[in-house]
Structure formats: C-alpha cells, structure tokens
Amino acid sequence: MHRSPTAAVAALALLAAANLVGCTGGSAPPAADGSAAPAASTAPLPTAPGSSPDSAGSTELTGMVGTADDPDAYAIALLDASGSPVTTLPAGDYSLTFSDRSDIHNIRISGPGGVDEATEVRGSDESTVEVSLEPGTYTIVCDPHSGTMRVELEVTG
Ligand SMILES: [Cu+2]
C-alpha cells in the first residue's frame, strides 16, 4: 500500500471531524411527546481507508505456452496481470495460472526455494499454483523443447 503524506493528513482530518461529531451529539433529549424524532443522531462511522478485503492476496501471473491463436505454437512466456511478458520481478508471493492448451507442450517453472511447478505435456491445464519467489534466476521451459522454448526470470530481493 502506497499512501502519500497528503492522503494521510486528509485521513487524520477526517478522523478528527468524526470525533468532534461524536462529542457534541451524545446528549440528545428524549422525544417526550411521542412524535417521531428525525433519526439523525447516529451517523455511520467512516470506513477506514485501506481496509478493503480485496487488498490481500498475491500478485497474479500467467505462464503461457503457445499463443492465443495457436496453442501448439513454439512460444512460452510469463505474463503479468496486464498480459505483458515479464523477465524481472521483485521477490514475493505470486499466484501463477498456467495457460497450457497444447498436447505437445508443457510449462515448468523452477528455481530457488525449491520451486518446481509444471503441467503435463498431454492435455490442457489452466490451474493456478501459489509460488514464493526468492532472489535469483528461475527458468520457465517446455520440457520436450527446452532448448528453444525457454525464458529466464530474474527475481530481485
Ligand atoms: Cu514444447
């Protein structure tokens, strides 16, 4: 989470305003005549910034063999969430989804930390695995064609 100092100040001002409302609005007199008082005494608390439930989780990656048009193409790549090939990444936890729709290729990622995840050559595999990438060099290969279908990923600390 990256928050600018300006946003932090604004959040503090918001909290101060909320406290002020809480102090002055605590002693509303009861409605004695039975008429319905306007329900304005309980203002909802402002949601704390940065507490959304979807902020947890790991960065998404796609390991792709072939191309979108031709699953049997002799191509292999690691893609980020926007679909762009990546060759360097910061160390951390990643959610890697395979895109292997070929009967002649597979995809394997291996490297530091004992990471070794692969699909089968036969059949399709579009499953997702969680990987913890440590600083160092990982290789992404198609096992039957590891001489040509091979990319390296540099993970930085
Ligand atoms: Cu292959």
Side-chain angles (χ1 to χ4, degrees):
M1 183 60 71
H2 199 83
R3 188 182 300 158
S4 72
T6 310
V9 169
L12 284 175
L14 193 67
L15 286 174
N19 284 338
L20 204 62
V21 169
C23 287
T24 57
S27 61
D33 58 355
S35 65
S41 57
T42 54
L45 290 172
T47 336
S51 68
S52 54
D54 61 350
S55 63
S58 44
T59 307
E60 291 182 15
L61 295 171
T62 298
M64 185 163 191
V65 286
T67 63
D69 291 339
D70 180 6
D72 291 339
Y74 284 69
I76 193 165
L78 189 65
L79 309 175
D80 66 14
S82 66
S84 301
V86 289
T87 54
T88 63
L89 284 173
D93 294 333
Y94 292 86
S95 181
L96 170 63
T97 300
F98 295 118
S99 178
D100 173 4
R101 298 180 293 124
S102 170
D103 280 334
I104 62 171
H105 300 309
N106 78 334
I107 182 168
R108 176 183 302 277
I109 180 171
S110 59
V115 170
D116 188 6
E117 300 282 352
T119 63
E120 299 288 329
V121 174
R122 288 188 169 276
S124 294
D125 190 338
E126 297 180 283
S127 60
T128 300
V129 296
E130 303 295 325
V131 290
S132 291
L133 299 182
E134 300 177 358
T137 303
Y138 290 78
T139 57
I140 295 107
V141 300
C142 166
D143 287 319
H145 311 111
S146 60
T148 52
M149 296 177 67
R150 179 188 201 94
V151 290
E152 289 193 342
L153 171 70
E154 290 295 331
V155 174
T156 57

